[in-house]
Amino acid sequence: MINHPELLAEIVLLKERNLQLEQELAFYREQFKLAQAKRFGASSEKSPQQLDLLMNEAEVIDDHTVATESVEIPEKIETQKSEKPRGRKPLPKELPRETRIVDIDDADKVCTCCSGELHKFGEETSEQLKYIPAKMTVIVTVRPKYSCRQCEKNNTHTPIVIAPVPASPIPKSIATPSLLSQVICNKYQFAIPLYRQEALFKQIDIELNRKTLANWMIRSATVFEPVIKALKDTLLVQGAIHADETPVKVIQEDREKCYMWVYCSGADSPDDTQANKNIVLYDYQPSRAASCPNNYLGGYKGFLQVDGYVGYESTKATLVGCMAHARRKFYIQEVWYAGFAGAKTCVDAQKAQLKGKSGRADWAVSHIQKLYKIESQLKTKTMAERFEIRKNLSVPLLNEFKAWLDKTVTHVVPNSAIGKAVSYTLNQWSKLIAYTQDGQLSIDNNRAERAIKPFVIGRKNWLFSATTSGANASANLYSIIESAKVNGLEPRHYIEYLLTELPKRKVGDDVKDLLPWMVKLGVVS
């Protein structure tokens, strides 16, 4: 027994110093392994085998504790598994077919055994695809002129009668709706920049420079404005809206970053059971200020499902959080990427775990996975059924998760990966559980993230917009294309249809019959 006061005080100081050093060591170990993961590991969340190469967090849960945790998924919901057909998908029946018969010579149609004549008893058939390069056709519009011969003889004013110029999306232009739809879809659906399209046109001896093509894009986007407005009016009366934003570089703007915002409702697929209309709308803004969503949504008071960005707090909507973001904080707390302003450091709670150990991040990811297991079985359920199932199955799991978070936050280092993940989840908790309040809501904001993905992919190819008008045009064109896709329409057919019909309408005419769920055109393949 040590009774010397000075010695006891020194022991206490040493213990405190030892604890501090252990925490610092754990933190730097974590940073070192995360640097290794960033450089050599897979960034996808779908490669759990890569985690075996990484260290554990400082606070490791005992293996026995994790093993005894209940990890069974509730089996109260009936599941229907559909087997996908195997083998090559047959070629479309509507494609024209050119039959080629490959037969043996007449001299070979003799039996090699008895020299008797061979007879045909069947055949083998195979199909191959043949590519025919694009073919351009010139439409020559002829408008006969008529005048009065009697007036001509009397030398009086002779009225000239001629048919009016057919409605065109871009008057006095050589562009037809079919050509415009092709150029628009090439850029905004398939991410082919205009300078590449210029080169493709040259291959078929058509001179269309990128400046002309860019002008066509801007003027076409203006034609779509009545439909965009009708879509927005419909969006703002939906019960739930998803929103997200992503940077975009606009040369004309004196800013390092501008932003493209996306607002959508409904389901990712027209086959999903949802009461809301399927709408995807993009909105270009020169900043990420809170006024951007506030001005766009106006006085919208429904549910707004977003990530944790504080800019949405100024809206009048009821905010709903994103469980995928919370999960990502545990699995990939901050995604590293090369942004417009430079590289962003990433912290990964689960990737900081020791080889062969199960830590708190594992428990959190596993528990959230149970919630997603329930959600995967609700796609064909009605809103009322989804609400009841979540109340009976999801709410108890969420309560258990909250109790674990409250306990864990007192046992982790706040600046560690797991500490940041726990703090984020607790701060967002009221929004994260809001999806259980209404059957029309989703567990996450992946609806908006998937909606904005085509823009992000396109941005990698065309890199920037030169002008503000170009960025606004891009927002309109992406809106038309993505809204067509989620309603089961082929974007090229829908765009051509709109460019044919809208020029015939007068300012102020009703265009509700032109909205994507009201027309029947080519279906997305």
Side-chain angles (χ1 to χ4, degrees), residues 43 174 223 262 376 441 453:
S43 60
I174 64 171
V223 176
V262 66
S376 68
L441 298 175
K453 187 177 180 180

Side-chain angles (χ1 to χ4, degrees), residues 313-505:
E313 299 285 348
S314 64
T315 64
K316 297 180 180 180
T318 300
L319 297 185
V320 183
C322 176
M323 191 64 73
H325 275 76
R327 181 184 184 275
R328 205 169 296 144
K329 294 295 180 180
F330 289 98
Y331 196 100
I332 304 177
Q333 179 152 342
E334 296 175 10
V335 181
W336 54 81
Y337 64 91
F340 286 87
K344 181 178 180 181
T345 307
C346 113
V347 180
D348 181 334
Q350 200 176 45
K351 285 186 177 180
Q353 296 181 165
L354 284 170
K355 178 181 178 181
K357 294 289 184 179
S358 296
R360 291 185 173 89
D362 286 310
W363 190 94
V365 171
S366 176
H367 201 78
I368 294 173
Q369 194 63 30
K370 298 177 186 179
L371 297 170
Y372 272 93
K373 180 66 174 179
I374 296 172
E375 293 301 309
S376 68
Q377 301 170 24
L378 301 182
K379 293 181 178 180
T380 58
K381 305 294 182 181
T382 64
M383 291 185 182
E385 290 173 335
R386 293 169 68 173
F387 174 78
E388 287 298 323
I389 292 172
R390 285 170 176 169
K391 184 175 69 173
N392 295 330
L393 299 181
S394 301
V395 171
L397 288 175
L398 288 167
N399 292 337
E400 184 181 352
F401 192 22
K402 179 61 163 57
W404 178 86
L405 290 168
D406 291 335
K407 178 181 178 181
T408 304
V409 73
T410 62
H411 293 83
V412 296
V413 179
N415 198 36
S416 65
I418 186 67
K420 292 179 180 179
V422 171
S423 297
Y424 173 86
T425 308
L426 284 173
N427 291 336
Q428 293 286 314
W429 188 252
S430 62
K431 300 183 184 71
L432 291 175
I433 64 174
Y435 80 97
T436 61
Q437 299 174 10
D438 197 303
Q440 68 180 317
L441 298 175
S442 301
I443 190 174
D444 54 38
N445 196 36
N446 287 351
R447 171 78 175 94
E449 292 192 3
R450 282 190 284 267
I452 209 166
K453 187 177 180 180
F455 176 83
V456 175
I457 294 174
R459 186 182 60 197
K460 292 179 180 179
N461 289 271
W462 44 259
L463 301 179
F464 58 84
S465 291
T467 63
T468 301
S469 59
N472 285 320
S474 296
N476 280 4
L477 296 173
Y478 272 114
S479 298
I480 295 296
I481 288 175
E482 295 306 316
S483 292
K485 287 165 62 178
V486 295
N487 283 280
L489 298 178
E490 173 58 51
R492 184 172 61 85
H493 295 162
Y494 183 56
I495 290 174
E496 182 177 354
Y497 176 74
L498 291 182
L499 291 176
T500 301
E501 294 297 322
L502 283 171
K504 300 176 184 177
R505 308 287 176 99

Side-chain angles (χ1 to χ4, degrees), residues 174-243:
I174 64 171
T176 60
S178 61
L179 178 59
L180 291 172
S181 67
Q182 183 67 30
V183 177
I184 290 170
C185 288
N186 278 347
K187 179 175 181 180
Y188 297 102
Q189 185 181 5
F190 302 113
I192 303 177
L194 295 181
Y195 75 89
R196 295 183 190 171
Q197 295 195 54
E198 178 185 4
L200 291 174
F201 280 116
K202 283 185 178 180
Q203 291 182 354
I204 53 176
D205 297 326
I206 302 294
E207 295 288 339
L208 289 175
N209 62 65
R210 71 192 74 175
K211 185 176 180 180
T212 298
L213 296 176
N215 182 56
W216 286 356
M217 298 300 96
I218 294 174
R219 297 185 68 178
S220 296
T222 303
V223 176
F224 294 132
E225 286 180 354
V227 173
I228 299 294
K229 183 181 182 303
L231 286 171
K232 182 179 178 181
D233 292 342
T234 307
L235 175 75
L236 295 181
V237 297
Q238 302 302 303
I241 295 176
H242 296 254

Side-chain angles (χ1 to χ4, degrees), residues 8 46 95 220 263 343 367 511:
L8 288 173
K46 298 181 180 180
L95 288 179
S220 296
Y263 304 91
H367 201 78
V511 295

